[in-house]
Amino acid sequence: MSEGSAAADRDVSRPDRGLRRTAELVGIGVTAVVAVAMLGFLVLYWARGLPVASDLYAAFRSFGRGMDAAFGTNVFRHPIMWQSMAVGVLVGVVAPLVGSFLVHREMALIGETLAHTAFAGVAIGILVTSSTGWNGSLLLVALAVGILGALAVQWLTERTDAYGDVPIAIMLSGSFAVGTLIISYGDGLTGVNIQGYLFGNLAVVTPEGARLMGALSLIVVAGVALTYKQLLFITFDEQAARVAQLNVTGYNTLLVVLTAVVVVGAMQVLGVILVAAMLVVPVAAASQVARSFRETMYLAVIFGQLSVVGGFAVSIGLGLPSGGSIVVTAIAVYLATIVGSGFSVRAISSHG
């Protein structure tokens, strides 16, 4: 190919690249605005008894009633639905964000493992509640157990000679076994809807759980933003990172802990069985069409939001479980990207 024709091809592709970049930035901007609005609602709902916050909360409720009138629904006027949607929107941001590193490191199974560990935490919380009368949040217990499980997985991976996924598989099956034993032992002692934690249910989301998800989301976004370069380095060349004397073990531990944090928050709407899908499927969809790792992250978050919004629409409209609805929508987005990309497979660059 001559230099003139190559230059002409570059000139033709530049407008397409510019349009693509603009669309991505618009999508990320809209996602950020929606996420901030949902965080704002959680704050208003928590502080609705205060003078200024009460007026803003009343205005928000009026806005919800207006949306119901416009769409012919009876959904948006209820605060419980807004807090459930807030959790879903935040999951759509932080799960693909962390999942981008996990997928490219071939650690997709870690999300499923930590979800089962968090389920064991819920079971422990139920047992403690039934035995002592403690009235704390089950999600806090699940968070503590999930983080301990993440540290245990990292410790086993670093100190065993088995293949890398063996400790993960052991933790996955072992933690779920512990959870089922505890649930069976305490069966009938509490009125907790355990199926809601298994399959996801909008009714499982409590005000405390929604606020916890808001706080965890801020922690995850800040953690990824502050350590992005280091996580990127160990994702694409861990050996070179060790040669450069980067604290690879520390950053690996940070990544699995952030994964545990995301899993516990997402468990409310997705359920233990399906929570890992939001760590993987939007990233897999983005990888079909992205040209760099950074673009993969942007598109994964956008696709995550599309999956959450579409899944909530299906769940509310047809009265189906939220977890299954969101995951099926995410898979539909994934299939659409495969068709749209022409079944091509590209190597992802760590630049850009």
Side-chain angles (χ1 to χ4, degrees), residues 150-177:
L151 296 175
V153 168
Q154 184 61 25
W155 186 85
L156 288 172
T157 303
E158 292 283 339
R159 288 166 174 79
T160 59
D161 295 328
Y163 292 106
D165 58 348
V166 171
I168 294 176
I170 292 173
M171 283 293 297
L172 187 154
S173 54
S175 57
F176 196 73

Side-chain angles (χ1 to χ4, degrees), residues 24-60:
E24 290 171 2
L25 292 177
V26 169
I28 288 295
V30 171
T31 299
V33 169
V34 173
V36 170
M38 293 295 98
L39 284 171
F41 168 76
L42 294 179
V43 173
L44 284 178
Y45 192 51
W46 173 59
R48 63 188 181 276
L50 301 177
V52 177
S54 63
D55 295 336
L56 293 174
Y57 178 71
F60 198 98

Side-chain angles (χ1 to χ4, degrees), residues 27-146:
I28 288 295
V30 171
T31 299
V33 169
V34 173
V36 170
M38 293 295 98
L39 284 171
F41 168 76
L42 294 179
V43 173
L44 284 178
Y45 192 51
W46 173 59
R48 63 188 181 276
L50 301 177
V52 177
S54 63
D55 295 336
L56 293 174
Y57 178 71
F60 198 98
R61 294 290 302 276
S62 298
F63 174 72
R65 286 190 289 269
M67 290 183 64
D68 278 333
F71 295 115
T73 59
N74 186 27
V75 173
F76 299 105
R77 69 188 65 198
H78 302 296
I80 188 173
M81 294 306 301
W82 279 106
Q83 71 182 15
S84 299
M85 288 187 288
V87 170
V89 166
L90 295 175
V91 169
V93 172
V94 296
L97 199 63
V98 174
S100 297
F101 296 101
L102 298 178
V103 169
H104 287 93
R105 299 197 65 191
E106 299 181 358
M107 293 174 60
L109 191 60
I110 191 69
E112 191 73 28
T113 301
L114 296 179
H116 286 73
T117 304
F119 173 70
V122 171
I124 292 171
I126 292 175
L127 183 62
V128 171
T129 299
S130 60
S131 302
T132 65
W134 178 68
N135 197 29
S137 172
L138 295 179
L139 287 178
L140 287 177
V141 180
L143 179 62
V145 174

Side-chain angles (χ1 to χ4, degrees), residues 211-226:
R211 290 197 296 270
L212 178 64
M213 184 64 207
L216 296 179
S217 299
L218 293 175
I219 292 172
V220 171
V221 172
V224 172
L226 292 174

Side-chain angles (χ1 to χ4, degrees), residues 266-343:
M267 186 171 60
Q268 300 174 82
V269 294
L270 292 171
V272 168
I273 295 176
L274 298 174
V275 67
M278 280 301 287
L279 291 165
V280 176
V281 180
V283 181
S287 298
Q288 289 292 323
V289 294
R291 298 169 182 170
S292 69
F293 182 79
R294 187 182 295 272
E295 188 177 25
T296 300
M297 293 186 70
Y298 288 161
L299 291 176
V301 171
I302 294 171
F303 292 157
Q305 285 305 307
L306 290 176
S307 303
V308 168
V309 173
F312 270 131
V314 172
S315 176
I316 294 172
L318 301 180
L320 298 174
S322 58
S325 301
I326 291 172
V327 172
V328 168
T329 305
I331 293 174
V333 172
Y334 171 61
L335 295 176
T337 60
I338 293 177
V339 174
S341 65
F343 303 93

